[in-house]
């Protein structure tokens, strides 16, 4: 936007600077002010179209230097309240000389003082050459103290006179900047300066209060608003519109709207057909336009509502998530993945490139390495970032229930189905990303259904004959060897290759020790903890295996925060860490035991099978049968980390090797003699 220009002409240079600073106080950097003074003799032909002239007697002289369309404002002047206070303390019966550069200027100063309510009648004008100031007199001077020649006089310098509010308002109106005069600035000015016009002061304050309230309402609306006349000229627009269109404040005012939104032909806009909703592109950003005609309070024109398309879509996604009673949005991006090691930086680099694709991603890594963090970051970096992010843990659903959760169901699809049916997680993730965690735990029937979704990009709710088209991106994760499961017939080969289009490996914490303490410090910061680790503990951290990876590190940081210690010593470490350093890795010991039973090819740690067999053996001794729910209750009591679904998988494996017998219905399960022998040999 072109800056407006203003010329200020005064007798003395210093006075011009005072007036300039006062105008800038209200109008800021939106105006170029050029200073001229008779003292500097720098006056010649003036090009400015608006001039503030402080000396009325010079009007004809200045007018001759200007073009015919130049406007000259002769301001009313006033004093600051501190100066008026000095005058009001004078004895009203004494003679007071008022000194200025000329008789007319001295008389003008006396007139201003009277307007400000000072009742002293014995003001005597004085000026260079008058030689009328008596010894021992009181002399008032508006900034001319150094020129006064008198004997033993009390000189009161009132300072330079100040431009009145009315003049400020005139300048703002002439330059179309009146919107910049804010109520808070007016209040500060009035607190400091005595106004010469009470009516001007009140009108300005009243108008500014209304404008401020209107600005407040506009600022509270996220969408931008632009008001244009019937000839498509911008009348005003909100702060949000300014940011969306990337224009300066008041840069569009008085301009043709088509110069700023060029992708829409505003010439075709008619009031009869002004109910338009359209997506246009402005400066490489998609913008929603909503245009309506308005005829209100004498205004006839168009109201344009603007919103960035991706912002609108994000709001819609959040509303859909609320409607579905879930917070299906991603919370993390790649900046939240802490680490500087070569492996993590490479994984982030590859994952970012994968985010730009729409192909399925398979994230492979041990439990606790942050696979979901990567999944959310991929979603946040993709073009689907404004859509929902739905995370599903496949190991938490029993066989049969997973499909109804993933695909939804119609009313009456099965006993216990909700009235009206239920939307599935795949539908919930439409236009976004679905994250299938622990995909290796999915049963074969669900795998077949998932394969169809990937191939057809359609789902059918349980109990429905209608298909629903989907636009989703699938990100899966596993801590198991899917190739091995494929060879064992426990995971579909065709599904594996459908998911493994873009494989991403996340290294365990023990392989990236460089990241260990960076991540630990981030956990401390989140906990607002101030403890430090002793050198011995730092050394143990470096040597420790971190089987639980980042999740274990997070738990440890929280544990230390509750100790109340400033320095964490070796004695403060949990026992399991110290024990792991004194003997061989317990997992290695278990693995060694498993070697004697290689023929079983167990998928999990042998300790999990020992736990299940021991509980079944206890029931056997009591001549009872036991089901997976009861075993799950024992697991909760003894803090053994097994889900009910995992226990079911273990029972099926044990039955496969004839170590247990799983009965149908609610008959429970019983341990076989072979199982009792196995338990006797390997149980503890």
């Amino acid at each position: 936007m072109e800056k407006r220009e203003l010329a200020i002409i005064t007798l003395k240079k210093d006075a011009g600077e005072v007036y300039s600073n006062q105008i800038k106080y209200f109008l800021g950097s939106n105006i170029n002010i050029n200073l001229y003074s008779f003292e500097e003799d720098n006056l010649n032909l003036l090009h400015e179209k608006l001039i503030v002239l402080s000396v009325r007697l010079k009007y004809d002289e200045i007018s001759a230097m200007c073009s015919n369309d130049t406007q000259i404002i002769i301001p009313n002047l006033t004093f600051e309240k501190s100066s008026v206070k000095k005058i009001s303390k004078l004895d009203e019966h004494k003679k007071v000389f008022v000194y200025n550069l000329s008789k007319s200027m001295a008389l003008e100063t006396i007139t201003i003082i009277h307007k400000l309510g000072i009742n002293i009648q014995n003001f005597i004008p004085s000026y260079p050459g008058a030689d009328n100031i008596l010894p021992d007199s009181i002399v008032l001077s508006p900034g001319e103290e150094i020129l006064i020649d008198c004997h033993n006089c009390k000189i009161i310098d009132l300072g330079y006179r100040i431009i009145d509010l009315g003049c400020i308002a005139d300048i703002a109106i002439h330059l179309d900047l009146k919107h910049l005069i804010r109520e808070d600035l007016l209040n500060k000015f009035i607190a400091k300066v005595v106004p010469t016009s009470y009516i001007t002061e009140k009108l300005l304050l009243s108008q500014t209060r209304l404008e401020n309230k209107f600005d407040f309402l506009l600022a509270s609306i996220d969408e931008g608003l632009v008001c244009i006349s019937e000839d498509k000229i911008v009348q005003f627009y909100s702060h949000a519109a300014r940011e969306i269109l990337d224009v300066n404040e008041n840069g569009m005012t008085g301009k043709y709207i088509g110069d700023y939104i060029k992708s829409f032909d505003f010439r075709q806009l008619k009031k009869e057909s002004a109910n338009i909703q359209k997506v246009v592109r402005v400066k490489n950003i998609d913008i929603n336009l909503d245009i309506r005609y308005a005829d209100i309070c004498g205004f006839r024109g168009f109201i344009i509502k603007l919103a960035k398309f991706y912002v609108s879509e994000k709001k819609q996604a959040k509303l859909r998530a609320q409607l579905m009673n879930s917070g299906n949005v991603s919370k993390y991006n790649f900046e939240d993945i802490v680490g500087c090691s070569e492996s993590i930086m490479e994984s982030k680099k590859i994952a970012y490139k994968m985010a730009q694709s729409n192909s399925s991603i398979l994230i492979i890594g041990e439990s606790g390495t942050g696979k979901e963090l990567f999944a959310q970051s991929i979603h946040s970096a993709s073009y689907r970032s404004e859509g929902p992010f739905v995370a599903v843990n496949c190991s938490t659903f029993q066989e049969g229930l997973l499909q109804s959760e993933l695909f939804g169901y119609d009313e009456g699809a099965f006993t216990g189905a909700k009235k009206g049916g239920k939307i599935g997680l795949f539908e919930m993730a439409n236009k976004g990303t679905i994250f299938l965690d622990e995909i290796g735990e999915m049963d074969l029937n669900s795998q077949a259904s998932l394969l169809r979704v990937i191939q057809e990009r359609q789902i059918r709710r349980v109990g429905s004959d209608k298909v629903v088209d989907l636009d989703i991106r699938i990100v899966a994760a596993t801590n198991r060897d899917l190739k091995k499961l494929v060879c064992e017939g426990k995971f579909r080969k065709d599904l594996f290759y459908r998911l493994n289009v873009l494989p991403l490996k996340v290294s365990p914490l023990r392989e990236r020790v460089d990241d260990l303490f960076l991540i630990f410090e981030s956990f401390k910061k989140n906990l607002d903890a101030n403890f430090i680790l002793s050198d011995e503990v730092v050394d143990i951290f470096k040597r420790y295996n971190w089987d639980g990876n980042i999740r274990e590190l997070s738990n440890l940081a929280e544990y230390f925060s509750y100790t109340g210690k400033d320095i964490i010593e070796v004695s403060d470490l949990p026992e399991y860490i110290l024990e792991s350093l004194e003997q061989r890795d317990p997992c290695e010991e278990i693995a060694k035991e498993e070697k004697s039973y290689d023929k079983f090819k167990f998928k999990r740690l042998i300790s999990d099978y020992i736990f299940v067999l021991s509980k079944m053996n206890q029931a056997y001794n009591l001549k009872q049968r036991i089901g997976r729910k009861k075993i799950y209750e024992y697991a909760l009591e003894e803090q053994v980390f097994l889900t009910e679904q995992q226990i079911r998988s273990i029972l099926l494996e044990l039955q496969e090797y004839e170590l247990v017998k799983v009965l149908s219905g609610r008959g429970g399960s019983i341990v076989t003699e072979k199982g009792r022998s196995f338990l006797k040999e390997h149980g503890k």
Side-chain angles (χ1 to χ4, degrees):
M1 179 181 73
E2 267 186 43
K3 288 189 177 180
R4 285 77 164 174
E5 277 198 311
L6 171 70
I8 297 178
I9 303 175
T10 56
L11 286 177
K12 298 187 68 177
K13 176 185 176 182
D14 292 348
E17 292 176 349
V18 171
Y19 301 157
S20 175
N21 290 335
Q22 183 185 349
I23 294 169
K24 287 180 178 178
Y25 175 76
F26 287 100
L27 306 183
S29 60
N30 296 277
I31 179 173
N32 281 333
I33 300 177
N34 303 318
L35 301 180
Y36 304 93
S37 69
F38 289 93
E39 178 185 59
E40 294 178 297
D41 194 23
N42 60 350
L43 291 162
N44 42 45
L45 290 176
L46 300 169
H47 65 275
E48 295 86 356
K49 299 302 180 184
L50 183 64
I51 295 174
V52 173
L53 175 62
S54 67
V55 187
R56 188 180 299 274
L57 293 176
K58 298 289 185 178
Y59 181 88
D60 292 338
E61 181 180 344
I62 297 302
S63 180
M65 299 180 184
C66 306
S67 60
N68 292 332
D69 59 347
T70 300
Q71 294 177 306
I72 299 176
I73 297 174
I74 298 177
N76 290 325
L77 300 177
T78 184
F79 287 106
E80 291 189 4
K81 287 184 178 179
S82 57
S83 299
V84 176
K85 190 175 182 181
K86 294 177 184 177
I87 304 172
S88 63
K89 291 181 179 179
L90 299 177
D91 189 342
E92 62 183 28
H93 301 294
K94 287 187 177 182
K95 292 182 179 179
V96 178
F97 292 87
V98 178
Y99 186 90
N100 214 320
L101 295 177
S102 66
K103 182 178 181 179
S104 61
M105 294 180 69
L107 288 170
E108 184 180 15
T109 301
I110 292 171
T111 301
I112 292 173
I113 293 173
H114 282 148
K115 281 185 177 180
L116 298 178
I118 305 299
N119 294 322
I120 296 175
Q121 301 299 319
N122 296 324
F123 283 125
I124 302 172
S126 184
Y127 44 91
D131 197 25
N132 62 343
I133 301 178
L134 302 175
D136 303 319
S137 297
I138 297 174
V139 182
L140 303 180
S141 175
E144 313 299 340
E145 180 180 351
I146 59 173
L147 301 176
I148 301 173
D149 184 17
C150 64
H151 179 70
N152 199 30
C153 293
K154 180 180 180 182
I155 299 174
I156 300 175
D157 185 7
L158 301 178
Y160 285 113
R161 294 170 295 182
I162 305 297
I163 296 176
D164 187 64
L165 272 176
C167 178
I168 300 289
D170 280 346
I171 294 170
I173 291 170
H174 279 107
L175 297 179
D176 196 21
L177 294 173
K178 61 182 181 297
H179 60 279
L180 297 177
I181 302 179
R182 306 196 314 269
E183 182 180 355
D184 58 333
L185 297 180
L186 284 172
N187 286 329
K188 289 180 181 178
F189 180 78
I190 291 170
K192 185 179 181 182
V193 177
V194 180
T196 59
S197 173
Y198 177 81
I199 294 175
T200 299
E201 169 197 342
K202 292 302 178 185
L203 283 176
L204 277 172
L205 280 172
S206 176
Q207 178 183 349
T208 307
R209 285 193 185 102
L210 287 173
E211 289 176 351
N212 286 345
K213 289 176 182 177
F214 183 61
D215 284 345
F216 171 77
L217 290 174
L218 288 181
S220 66
I221 302 173
D222 291 338
E223 291 84 2
L225 293 176
V226 181
C227 176
I228 63 175
S229 59
E230 288 185 312
D231 54 359
K232 321 307 185 297
I233 302 300
V234 177
Q235 304 301 306
F236 68 86
Y237 52 97
S238 67
H239 300 292
R242 184 183 70 197
E243 293 177 1
I244 291 170
L245 298 176
D246 191 24
V247 295
N248 295 327
E249 189 171 3
N250 294 296
M252 291 198 305
T253 304
K255 307 289 180 61
Y256 174 57
I257 184 62
D259 293 340
Y260 298 90
I261 305 177
K262 298 179 180 180
S263 51
F264 182 80
D265 186 5
F266 285 92
R267 292 172 298 182
Q268 66 173 342
L269 193 58
K270 307 293 182 184
K271 69 176 183 179
E272 295 82 9
S273 59
N275 189 2
I276 298 172
Q277 293 179 332
K278 190 176 181 63
V279 177
V280 299
R281 198 157 184 82
V282 179
K283 296 184 178 181
N284 295 321
I285 297 176
D286 290 327
I287 304 293
N288 284 347
L289 284 187
D290 189 342
I291 306 175
R292 307 294 170 92
Y293 182 78
D295 185 353
I296 306 171
C297 299
F299 169 80
R300 292 183 177 89
F302 301 91
I303 306 297
I304 305 172
K305 186 166 69 172
L306 306 167
K308 292 182 179 179
F309 180 77
Y310 77 87
V311 173
S312 299
E313 285 296 297
K314 188 171 184 178
K315 287 181 179 179
Q316 290 298 320
K318 286 184 177 180
L319 289 173
R320 283 195 295 269
Q322 291 177 18
L323 184 63
M324 298 166 189
N325 195 28
S326 60
N328 295 312
V329 293
S330 58
K331 299 182 291 184
Y332 303 106
N333 53 51
F334 286 113
E335 294 178 359
D336 296 310
I337 301 176
V338 179
C340 64
S341 66
E342 184 178 347
S343 64
I344 200 66
M345 295 302 289
E346 183 66 18
S347 294
K348 287 170 68 173
K349 180 181 177 181
I350 293 172
Y352 182 79
K353 291 181 179 179
M354 290 178 174
Q356 313 314 310
S357 166
N358 196 41
S359 300
S360 300
I361 295 175
L362 180 61
I363 304 175
I364 304 163
E366 295 181 7
S367 179
T369 51
K371 296 188 291 295
E372 182 168 352
L373 191 60
F374 266 92
Q376 291 200 29
S377 300
I378 289 169
H379 173 77
S380 297
S382 72
Y383 74 87
R384 298 177 177 274
S385 59
E386 306 307 321
F389 176 86
V390 178
V392 186
N393 191 317
C394 299
S395 69
T396 58
F397 297 101
Q398 297 180 10
E399 184 177 353
L401 290 180
L402 181 59
Q403 291 193 51
S404 64
E405 289 295 326
L406 289 178
F407 310 129
Y409 55 81
D410 277 356
E411 182 176 347
F414 51 84
T415 303
K418 288 183 179 180
K419 186 176 181 180
K422 180 181 179 182
I423 188 171
L425 296 173
F426 272 108
E427 282 187 76
M428 202 178 292
N430 200 23
K431 302 296 182 182
T433 302
I434 188 165
F435 174 55
L436 302 175
D437 198 9
E438 296 194 42
I439 191 72
E441 303 295 334
M442 183 179 283
D443 62 86
L444 290 171
N445 288 335
S446 297
Q447 290 178 33
S449 300
L450 175 59
L451 180 63
R452 177 174 176 80
V453 172
I454 298 174
Q455 291 174 336
E456 305 297 333
R457 296 293 168 176
Q458 293 178 329
I459 62 106
R460 181 184 284 110
R461 291 187 183 185
V462 176
S464 174
D465 57 356
K466 296 180 181 179
V467 295
V468 179
D469 291 327
L470 292 178
D471 176 16
I472 58 171
R473 206 260 183 89
I474 296 176
V475 179
T478 183
N479 59 5
R480 301 184 63 179
D481 186 348
L482 292 188
K483 285 185 179 180
K484 182 180 178 182
L485 294 181
V486 169
C487 295
E488 295 173 354
K490 297 176 181 176
F491 200 86
R492 293 182 63 108
K493 181 187 292 187
D494 44 7
L495 177 60
F496 171 72
Y497 288 111
R498 283 284 186 177
L499 293 173
N500 199 38
V501 177
L502 300 176
L504 176 66
K505 185 178 184 302
V506 181
S507 301
L509 192 56
R510 60 182 168 276
E511 293 181 9
R512 45 190 181 102
V513 180
D514 292 343
D515 300 337
L516 177 62
F517 296 101
L518 283 176
I519 298 171
F520 191 71
E521 287 301 317
S522 71
F523 289 143
K524 281 175 55 181
K525 183 178 179 180
N526 292 337
L527 293 166
D528 195 22
N530 298 316
F531 62 81
I532 60 174
L533 305 177
S534 67
D535 293 341
E536 293 81 3
V537 173
V538 169
D539 181 62
I540 291 173
F541 268 38
K542 291 178 180 178
R543 292 186 290 117
Y544 183 59
N545 202 49
W546 298 109
D547 291 325
N549 290 291
I550 296 171
R551 189 177 295 122
E552 182 181 5
L553 187 64
S554 172
N555 294 342
L556 200 58
E558 185 173 0
Y559 169 73
F560 288 153
S561 69
Y562 289 117
T563 63
K565 300 286 187 68
D566 294 329
I567 301 177
I568 302 300
E569 304 288 354
V570 174
S571 58
D572 299 314
L573 292 172
E575 289 185 8
Y576 70 87
I577 292 181
L578 297 175
E579 290 174 356
S580 70
L581 298 173
E582 295 173 358
Q583 62 187 24
R584 296 187 62 182
D585 187 341
C587 294
E588 290 182 2
E589 296 295 325
I590 293 172
K592 184 178 178 181
E593 292 179 10
E594 287 180 329
K595 289 181 181 178
S596 63
Y597 270 84
D598 280 343
K599 60 181 180 180
F600 291 124
K601 295 182 181 180
F602 288 134
K603 294 187 293 186
R604 307 180 61 85
L605 295 177
I606 195 171
S607 58
D608 292 342
Y609 299 90
I610 295 296
F611 173 78
V612 173
L613 283 170
S614 65
K615 296 306 173 188
M616 296 183 71
N617 191 51
Q618 290 175 13
Y620 180 86
N621 292 332
L622 295 172
K623 301 185 184 300
Q624 296 175 351
R625 292 177 182 176
I626 188 171
R628 63 174 180 269
K629 289 187 177 180
K630 189 63 178 178
I631 297 173
Y632 175 63
E633 291 175 6
Y634 285 134
L636 290 177
E637 291 175 4
E638 299 180 25
Q639 296 186 347
V640 175
F641 300 107
L642 288 173
T643 66
E644 189 174 339
Q645 178 66 20
Q646 288 170 338
I647 292 171
R648 181 184 179 281
S649 298
I650 289 172
L651 287 171
L652 292 176
E653 281 188 71
L654 292 174
Q655 179 174 249
E656 183 180 347
Y657 296 118
E658 299 180 349
L659 299 177
V660 302
K661 185 177 182 181
V662 179
L663 304 179
S664 61
R666 299 185 179 180
S669 303
I670 57 174
V671 63
T672 64
E673 286 301 321
K674 188 175 179 180
R676 287 165 61 83
S677 298
F678 178 91
L679 184 63
K680 185 176 181 181
E681 182 176 353
H682 295 279
K684 294 183 180 180

